[in-house]
Amino acid sequence: MLTHILILMVLALALLGFWLGKRKAILAATSLHSLPVHYASYVLLMTILPASLTLAIWSLAEAWLLHDQSLTLSTTNNTLAQTDTALKSIVVIIVAVLSLFFAMQKVSPEFRARNVVEKFILAALMVCAALAILTTVGIVVSMVFETAHFLNLHSWKDFFFGLDWSPNFHGDSALSILPLLWGTLYISCVALLVAVPVGLLSAIYLSEYASSRIRSIAKPLLEVLAGIPTIVYGLFALLTFGPFLRDLFGPEGFFAVGWMSDTRSVATAGIVMGIMLIPFISSLSDDIINAVPQSLRDGSFGLGATQSETIKHVLLPAALPGIVGAILLAASRAIGETMIVVLGAGAIARFTGNPLEALTTVTTRIVSQLTGDGDFNSPETLVAFALGLTLFALTLGLNIFALYYVRKYREQYE
Amino acid sequence: MNENIISHEELAMTAPTIKISARNVDVHYDKTHAIRGVSAEIPSNSVTAFIGPSGCGKSTFLRCLNRMNDTIKNCQVSGDIMLDGEDIYDPKVDPVQLRAKVGMVFQKPNPFPKSIYDNVAYGPRIHGLARDKSDLDGIVEQALRRAAIWGEVKDRLSAPGTGLSGGQQQRVCIARAIATAPEVLLMDEPCSALDPIATAQIEELIDELRQNYSVVIVTHSMHQAARISQKTAFFHMGTLVEFGDTKTVFTNPRDPQTESYITGRIG
Ligand SMILES: Nc1ncnc2c1ncn2[C@@H]1O[C@H](COP(=O)(O)OP(=O)(O)OP(=O)(O)O)[C@@H](O)[C@H]1O
Ligand SMILES: [Mg+2]
């Protein structure tokens, strides 16, 4: 018997239980504790759960056992598996029928089916929440393992404190994160320098000055901008903005200064990334500023303050924790951003302060280390996990700091 | 119609100086006609109470007096309102400066998320009322003293204003309004969020403020209106039904609507 037929049979039994439970509850009639549908759901759940649990455990055990045996006993395996499946089906059906019977026994007017169903719902919600958290933990754990593997093969001193990034295939690569981190932070700073003032001021304009007509046009437009895939921004950086910058600062450019040799540079990637972050910051800040109670604005106007005084002295201080949170979120997006820097920033790992020179970032190096056809067990490939984990730690730290800051600020003013 | 009768008669009876005089004021919110042809004269150095059922336009009319309605986009005000004989809706008048002269205290205490000191110093700072730090300290202390809260906050001036109790917050808000040195103080249900003790303190305070300011107070409490005001205005559905000496309005109302409202509430 195939597993999905088995599942269908259990479901059919459960539906039967639903119907039986409802009928029994309705027939009992004398002042039920719960609605008939609660008794019905109770029987349904009680039929499904033990059976599916049995099925799941059996299948897991089976897969595990077969995996061990398959190497040695491939011929006898087939018959063994068949008897096994038949046995499994019978056991599961018996479990389902028994639990259906048992649940039906419990259906009586005093039985608090409603509370039990409520507990089931709670449990289901908790399982989902736990699943989300466990997945994250799982990802981190796998990253940690691969990173440990890498650090076994490569000196941690070089990774954290070296000054060179030059992977090669002779096995003596210099793989230091510092030049990459420099590129990441430099480009992110440029992006934030563009995005924070523009985004914040546009949010102030939209929430405090714009008429409702302008607002109703501009706000959706900004949100559309936030939905553009980053690869499109990357193309814009590579094909339009980079050449434009070179036309200004290149050797044959408008200013004839020769500060820029390539179209790819810190400024190319940073400014385009800043443009990408503008709607992110302005949309969040706009919501935050709008959430400042109207009574504070009234209070300030009522004392004879002008609009800009009100914004500067009352609204912004009140909205500050939220705005700082928005900026830190934008910073973690900038640090983790990949496509724009892959296309716009270049591939040279070095420490340079000139924003018109090419640099490379942590994310671009992760991409390039994993997209080659290198040996998956070489330090040159495994370094990607160490880079990824460091990046993760960085953004995590940023988010924790944002939360801590916001909470401290709130405590002060609540 | 009856507005004319009111103003003449009442003028003859009390004859104080008129601080604010409104003539034929109409207010529309889009299609809602919230205030219909209201005329009233608010004397200086006295407390005027606005009473009336919910939604009758008390707050709307109060907000006309310092042009706070300008901040509501769909609000249209017409008619004349004079402060010391000067039309406050004249294009030459800067509403920002007007609001410094006509201060406002709101129904819900709304301290800024700043320290108590900064809250009270807010108005003097933006209007440049203090010459230096010690001058500002003096203004803040005096305002807090007059709002009867100095004793409670003098040791924690740098603590956030939002950390005080509701009644303390409201008194800080009153101090904040006083510190701007207004001539008129508008109060929209200033005690509605307060317990009886804090209410009594604020009522006492309002009575003292009368020495220096014209106070206009919106209230839902007949007792409060009777206790602290010299003049009472009864609004109903956007019209000013009756306006006169508080004693007369409460003991011998001219209009049957006033009488039914007052008696319905009191006894
Ligand atoms: N911002 C606004 N937009 C549209 N209509 C408004 C607005 N504010 C008030 N109104 C309307 O104007 C009328 C008068 O409202 P107002 O707030 O002045 O009443 P009120 O007498 O202060 O009532 P309450 O005692 O409940 O505070 C009401 O019908 C109200 O619905
Ligand atoms: Mg009101």
Side-chain angles (χ1 to χ4, degrees), chain B residues 29 32 34 53-60 72 74 189 220:
Chain B
Y29 294 105
T32 321
S54 193
C56 65
K58 307 178 296 289
S59 301
T60 302
I72 298 175
N74 60 357
E189 301 181 43
H220 276 288

Side-chain angles (χ1 to χ4, degrees), chain B residues 46-111:
Chain B
S46 69
V47 178
T48 306
F50 288 179
I51 59 171
S54 193
C56 65
K58 307 178 296 289
S59 301
T60 302
F61 187 64
L62 192 74
R63 292 164 64 95
C64 289
L65 304 181
N66 67 345
R67 292 186 62 173
M68 273 301 275
N69 283 332
D70 292 15
T71 62
I72 298 175
K73 280 190 183 111
N74 60 357
C75 186
Q76 295 266 319
V77 181
S78 64
D80 296 323
I81 299 179
M82 317 283 251
L83 175 71
D84 293 328
E86 230 184 301
D87 184 1
I88 64 169
Y89 279 86
D90 192 279
K92 282 197 301 251
V93 172
D94 179 2
V96 167
Q97 275 176 340
L98 171 74
R99 289 184 205 130
K101 269 204 261 179
V102 184
M104 189 154 197
V105 176
F106 298 83
Q107 175 169 1
K108 240 183 77 201
N110 56 351

Side-chain angles (χ1 to χ4, degrees), chain A residues 209-212 294-296 298-306 309-310 313-314 317-318 409 412-414, chain B residues 63 66 68 71 73 96 99-100 102-104 106 110-114 122 126-127 160 162-163 176-177 180:
Chain A
Y209 290 94
S211 69
S212 56
Q294 180 63 29
S295 67
L296 290 186
D298 285 347
S300 177
F301 290 140
L303 291 169
T306 61
E309 284 164 346
T310 303
H313 297 304
V314 176
Y409 195 93
Q412 197 179 346
Y413 287 128
E414 254 170 24
Chain B
R63 292 164 64 95
N66 67 345
M68 273 301 275
T71 62
K73 280 190 183 111
V96 167
R99 289 184 205 130
V102 184
M104 189 154 197
F106 298 83
N110 56 351
F112 302 135
K114 297 169 177 292
Y122 186 80
I126 57 178
H127 297 296
T162 40
R176 190 173 71 183
T180 316

Side-chain angles (χ1 to χ4, degrees), chain A residues 8 57 333:
Chain A
L8 278 180
I57 292 174
R333 266 193 76 170

